[in-house]
Amino acid sequence: MQIEKPKKRSQLRKKFGKEYFCLKQRLEWMTSKEKFAHEIDLSPLPHSVFKHQSKLLRRLKDVDMYLQHNKIVNLRIAIKPINGIIIQPGETFSLWKLVGRTTKRKGYLEGMTLSNGQVTKGIGGGLCQLGNLIYWMALHSPLEVTKRWRHSYDVFPDVNRKVPFGAGATLSYNYIDLALKNNTNVPIQLNVWLDKTHLHGEFRSAVEFNKQYEVFERNHKFELQWWGGYTRHNEIWRTISDQTTNEVKEELVTENHAVMMYNPLLSYS
């Protein structure tokens, strides 16, 4: 698959472009007939649907560790308005609608961000870890992913990777969002918390579901492009097993295509 060489845009164009899309998203929220989840209940619903955790601190090439520590502060602030959120039947969970803009006034610190595949820093940086966690859990649940943006760049080599490449969701306020719709007739709750070493998440439900999910990748490959860079590609699939009827079906979740910022032929262990 051929992918064009990434284009560099001026800082001014990126700034005004971002604000345009932010305004467009706010207008969409205001005029939408979609019912958005807003109810918080810190009492866990009785049945666990799926839970996952991810390590908070990782040593990444050319990334100052203070940005990683600041990320923990940012995560702690961002999870407050979503921990315990109840997604009622027919409602949609929108991460940014609940979290809002990340600002210094709210206590957010400078964290790691990515711009055109390059490591940068910005207020509220590091929240992609939250998007990755929630998206991975959603794929193991009956929630429908209605909005998710894939990572356009593969920035860091695979070292101790726990989930398939491309099984995450990038975030940027407010239009690069993660949205999940509850099409079941059962309330589903999202719980998110931190301990000293990990970010934890869990979906819980009022009634136990009779389906199990397994997520995996297919057709993973690296390709050398005509302009000299490498790109990475795969497909994310999942199997859905009905525990009542023993029916098993497979479905394609998404395709991923990313520009690589490192040479895949070199060893990085």
Side-chain angles (χ1 to χ4, degrees):
M1 174 177 293
Q2 286 194 354
I3 292 182
E4 292 300 313
K5 186 176 182 179
K7 297 178 181 179
K8 292 185 178 180
R9 293 182 169 89
S10 70
Q11 291 298 320
L12 188 64
R13 178 174 176 179
K14 286 192 286 186
K15 179 180 178 179
F16 282 100
K18 178 178 175 64
E19 290 306 317
Y20 166 78
F21 285 111
C22 284
L23 177 60
K24 184 178 178 182
Q25 179 61 72
R26 284 196 292 269
L27 290 174
E28 183 179 317
W29 283 337
M30 292 171 60
T31 58
S32 175
K33 295 181 180 179
E34 192 82 34
K35 294 181 179 178
F36 290 99
H38 63 276
E39 176 191 351
I40 295 284
D41 188 345
L42 296 181
S43 301
L45 290 180
H47 300 281
S48 178
V49 178
F50 188 77
K51 56 185 175 181
H52 188 62
Q53 64 181 31
S54 59
K55 195 172 181 180
L56 289 170
L57 297 177
R58 294 174 56 205
R59 292 205 172 273
L60 302 171
K61 186 177 183 297
D62 300 327
V63 178
D64 291 328
M65 284 306 294
Y66 88 91
L67 295 175
Q68 296 266 322
H69 289 283
N70 285 0
K71 173 191 68 176
I72 297 175
V73 175
N74 295 340
L75 286 168
R76 201 175 300 279
I77 298 170
I79 67 175
K80 286 182 180 179
I82 64 173
N83 180 38
I85 191 78
I86 303 292
I87 313 171
Q88 297 288 355
E91 287 187 341
T92 294
F93 164 88
S94 164
L95 188 145
W96 283 127
K97 188 168 177 59
L98 293 166
V99 172
R101 189 186 286 267
T102 57
T103 64
K104 284 185 179 180
R105 182 176 56 82
K106 294 180 181 178
Y108 285 99
L109 302 177
E110 196 174 60
M112 187 189 78
T113 60
L114 298 173
S115 178
N116 294 325
Q118 301 297 320
V119 174
T120 57
K121 50 190 176 184
I123 300 300
L127 296 190
C128 281
Q129 183 170 352
L130 181 60
N132 292 340
L133 179 91
I134 296 174
Y135 178 66
W136 178 249
M137 294 195 303
L139 296 183
H140 293 82
S141 81
L143 292 168
E144 178 190 359
V145 179
T146 58
K147 184 174 287 188
R148 171 258 181 181
W149 294 69
R150 69 186 185 213
H151 295 272
S152 300
Y153 294 87
D154 182 19
V155 180
F156 302 110
D158 292 355
V159 178
N160 300 321
R161 180 183 286 278
K162 302 298 183 182
V163 301
F165 161 72
T170 188
L171 296 172
S172 180
Y173 183 82
N174 58 2
Y175 59 98
I176 300 183
D177 195 8
L178 177 62
L180 315 171
K181 186 168 185 178
N182 184 0
N183 291 318
T184 77
N185 59 359
V186 176
I188 298 176
Q189 180 187 45
L190 171 63
N191 295 315
V192 192
W193 68 98
L194 296 169
D195 62 20
K196 292 182 179 179
T197 59
H198 288 78
L199 171 66
H200 299 262
E202 183 177 26
F203 280 120
R204 301 187 68 87
S205 62
V207 176
E208 188 171 11
F209 293 110
N210 65 347
K211 293 181 179 179
Q212 292 185 347
Y213 303 83
E214 180 183 358
V215 182
F216 56 96
E217 73 172 348
R218 282 181 175 158
N219 300 320
H220 178 265
K221 61 184 177 181
F222 303 108
E223 291 187 345
L224 178 62
Q225 297 296 326
W226 63 268
W227 41 268
Y230 285 93
T231 55
R232 189 173 188 176
H233 313 266
N234 76 347
E235 298 168 350
I236 301 296
W237 288 74
R238 70 175 180 174
T239 57
I240 305 174
S241 304
D242 190 310
Q243 304 302 295
T244 302
T245 64
N246 293 323
E247 179 186 4
V248 178
K249 68 175 183 178
E250 287 188 353
E251 64 179 24
L252 173 65
V253 174
T254 188
E255 295 182 6
N256 294 295
H257 310 285
V259 176
M260 301 185 68
M261 304 307 294
Y262 60 93
N263 189 328
L265 304 181
L266 300 179
S267 174
Y268 296 91
S269 59

